[in-house]
Amino acid sequence: ELRKHIPTLCLPSMESHPDCLFVEDTVVAIGDTAVITRMGHDSRRGEVDSIKQVLVDQLGMGRVYDMREEGGNNNNDASGDVNGDIDIGSEERAALCDGGDVMYTG
């Protein structure tokens, strides 16, 4: 059984979002930093808030940036403070991203 060898977090299902099992689409994370995505499909966007809660409350991500928020600056660091060190312009606020479409190479 995989769970004996790899830490696993089981999330509740979301009946109104049948694609919610593809959690990799909701976030791009590297180290203790995560970017909550604004997914391309309207029907998938309701999945994101629950994943954001898990990142902050259960996994203790140090910095969580949200593409859906004005300026993208509602990221909480580990102390709960809000940092405003990312400036997202109006064109970028309209950007869409599914995390599963991102490849980290570095």
Side-chain angles (χ1 to χ4, degrees):
E1 184 173 294
L2 185 61
R3 292 183 191 168
K4 291 179 182 176
H5 307 285
I6 298 174
T8 305
L9 179 64
C10 293
L11 304 173
S13 65
M14 300 176 75
E15 298 296 325
S16 60
H17 299 286
D19 288 332
C20 69
L21 66 135
F22 301 109
V23 296
E24 73 276 7
D25 289 335
T26 61
V27 63
V28 175
I30 299 171
D32 72 341
T33 303
V35 176
I36 301 296
T37 64
R38 180 185 296 113
M39 294 196 292
H41 235 288
D42 288 338
S43 66
R44 304 267 335 262
R45 293 185 186 164
E47 303 169 31
V48 178
D49 288 328
S50 63
I51 297 298
K52 184 177 180 178
Q53 272 320 115
V54 168
L55 292 172
V56 174
D57 296 341
Q58 294 181 12
L59 298 179
M61 294 295 286
R63 295 184 291 173
V64 178
Y65 301 92
D66 194 330
M67 287 179 65
R68 304 168 304 158
E69 297 292 326
E70 181 83 21
N73 63 357
N74 70 333
N75 51 312
N76 296 326
D77 67 16
S79 66
D81 294 334
V82 175
N83 299 319
D85 56 353
I86 291 183
D87 183 24
I88 298 177
S90 60
E91 289 181 15
E92 289 84 0
R93 279 195 299 272
L96 304 173
C97 176
D98 287 5
D101 296 337
V102 176
M103 181 187 310
Y104 176 68
T105 62

